[in-house]
Amino acid sequence: MAGSTPPSEPSLERIHGTVERVTFHHPDTGFCVLQVRLPHQRDLMPVVGHASQVVPGEYLSAQGRWVIDRQYGRQFQAVAIELTPPHTVAGMQKYLGSGWIRGIGPVYAKRLVEAFGTQVFEVIEEHPERLRDVPGIGPRRALSIRRGWQDQKIIRDIMLFLHSHGVSTAQAVRIFKTYGDDAIRLVREDPYRLARDIRGIGFKTADRIAKQLGVDDQAPIRVRAGVSYALLEATGAGHVALPLADLVGDTADLLAVPPDAVKAAIDHETAEGRIVLFTIKGEPCIALAALAHQEQVIAERLKMLARGKPPWPALDVDQAIRRAEAQLPFALAPLQKVAIQQALTSKVMAITGGPGVGKTTLLKTAIGILRAHGVTPALAAPTGRAAKRLAEATGEPAKTIHRLLGGRPGGTFQYDARHPLNADLVVVDECSMIDVPLMYHLLHAIGPTAALWLVGDGDQIPSVGPGQVFRDILNSAAIPVVRLTNVFRQAAQSGIVFNAHRINQGVMPNLEGTPPGEGRSDFYFVSAETAAEAADKILRLVAERIPRRFGWDPLRDVQVLCPMNRGDCGAYHLNQRLQDALNPPGDEAVERFGWRFGPGDKVMQTVNDYDKEVFNGDVGWVTDVNADDHILIVRFDDRPVEYDFADLDALIPAYATTIHKAQGSEYPAVVIPVVTQHYPMLKRNLLYTAVTRAKNLVVLVGQARAVAIAVHTVDSERRWSKLKEWLVEGSTAPLSDL
């Protein structure tokens, strides 16, 4: 797509050539690294610059300077890039084979140009019936190619409009999918709707478009959108609400408008019912109305459920525990017996404790007792891995919460207050991961007579989404809580369990590699003075040392968990290096959104997708890439899921991941970079959570002082949430909504 060219400067040169390969292209910023064939030059030359869309085969004209990069050598740094469709047969073949037109991949691109030469574009657009003259192209593929070309033509028209306003190619495709042929009209009417409706477009992009469309800086529509954006950003940091003064100040600074304009916008949005004003510990706060309502309903439904009696008949609890204990190879601890007694006599309860304290034994025993008395349980956890662990531990089937509730396209659920789950008892594990919206939907689906047990580790990091639901429940005393604290002797001999509890108590873990009990050590520290050195050592540990010593698969059994995405030891950089080492992209790989995906790649879903029934944090494996049909197949557990190439921004490589993304998962071996470069995230609960993700082996890599910083730093960042107050003091949620 052609772009504007700045006036020539004496120091700038202009080059012309054909784009042979797109090494990297960031859809949001347009930054790209291209391999370009220049006339009369044998080797491809790297060109670095910005382009909204770039496809191999296009003709490039760029203005810039030749530089010598210390790492990559000679390259052309472009200040302006112009791209036009190819006019040669070779260029057209590369263009068509790049994967942008559904139904055409490298094979059919070659056949098409062999059949039609330089007239191939004209044939596709004006004489599509001739496509069937090409061997292998039947009615179905011809129709697919024609529709793909037409879609691209419409998209190109939309792109001409959107690119001129700074929107990327990937975003333009998604806008077209959402709004169809009305895209330009709808964007002109309210550009801020993009931030609400389109994944990957935030307020800043929408605001830039609005300004280019002539929206005034102090226009009410802009200020109101800014208020909503500030509140939405707060939910990303875990907040349900923001103090009124902070919201006014932050929004005024963001938009560069007077505070009075923000206050007027808040008054308007409050009157419209989109936001609400209430107090948290006496502080006036503002929240998105839907989110505040969900917290109210959580409090009311928990208290309503707790007021009833268990759905099973009265039991001789002591006798039931004695009989169950007789079936075990060991005696139950006194606190476990108290917990089981509490579970058998409570309709709603919470169970919390760290690793090795017997939560699994407690659950298995209590569920077994109730099973013998005809109780039907339903077990769930937030992630697939956590659900699988729960099933293995209890011997009962377990599902993800989304699948238990029957998640449907559009974010609705099969089971709700009108159609409750068919279960006498609902048991949910890893509850520290559950945010306000998910707990709201879960409690809606539990029938008024059913019992509910919430299980988790309250000392782990809270949910990625808004709220701190499990922690607030534990601290409210609104329902019975059992806190398991005694580490059993067998578990205490594990260096992982031993050191996890030390970290949780604010005590340095044993970094000498000596286990607290007998046997091989399962907790190690590898020293590295710098983050770059730590990254090198992590690569060798995962690719060579751990597989050689323990016989584990480096892809399936070893997981790198990072405090942050950024830096030499961040998940982003380590993913690139580990992918190159463990599963280097081949010819089948497709490049989208800054990543290359090929067969064998380990990937993670980053957003909830109810259509595909895959959810944030789910890990799968790429099994096939179909360049002709623009389809990539990922296998999650035993279920293949199709991704259109345009939707691959929902996936990231998962050779390394952040600790937050690993919540609820368990891996045979975990490697954790702990370096001062990640200082902002070095917190006790983060390190504790990472260590407790490992089943058989933990390796910390980095600096002892960074470990000390993490151990001694308590996460003091407050999450603005009113759930605890509503649990303690009561709420005003209308009963009709319960």
Side-chain angles (χ1 to χ4, degrees), residues 23 88 99 131 222 228 235 240 270 297 308 363 365 410 416 432 435 460 468 473 536 639 652 677 689:
T23 302
T88 66
L131 294 174
R222 178 174 186 258
S228 296
T235 66
V240 173
T270 303
V297 172
L363 282 180
T365 304
D416 53 25
S432 63
D435 61 13
Q460 289 187 19
Q468 46 188 18
I473 291 172
D536 290 340
R639 189 172 63 93
I652 57 173
Q677 187 182 69
T689 300

Side-chain angles (χ1 to χ4, degrees), residues 310 312 315 317 320-321 339-346 366 369-370 453:
W312 47 83
L315 305 175
V317 175
I321 292 174
I340 294 172
Q341 185 177 41
Q342 183 74 67
L344 297 180
T345 55
S346 299
I369 291 172
L370 292 178
W453 297 349

Side-chain angles (χ1 to χ4, degrees), residues 251-271:
T251 307
D253 290 343
L254 170 72
L255 303 180
V257 298
D260 286 346
V262 179
K263 292 176 183 176
I266 290 174
D267 290 342
H268 180 276
E269 293 296 279
T270 303

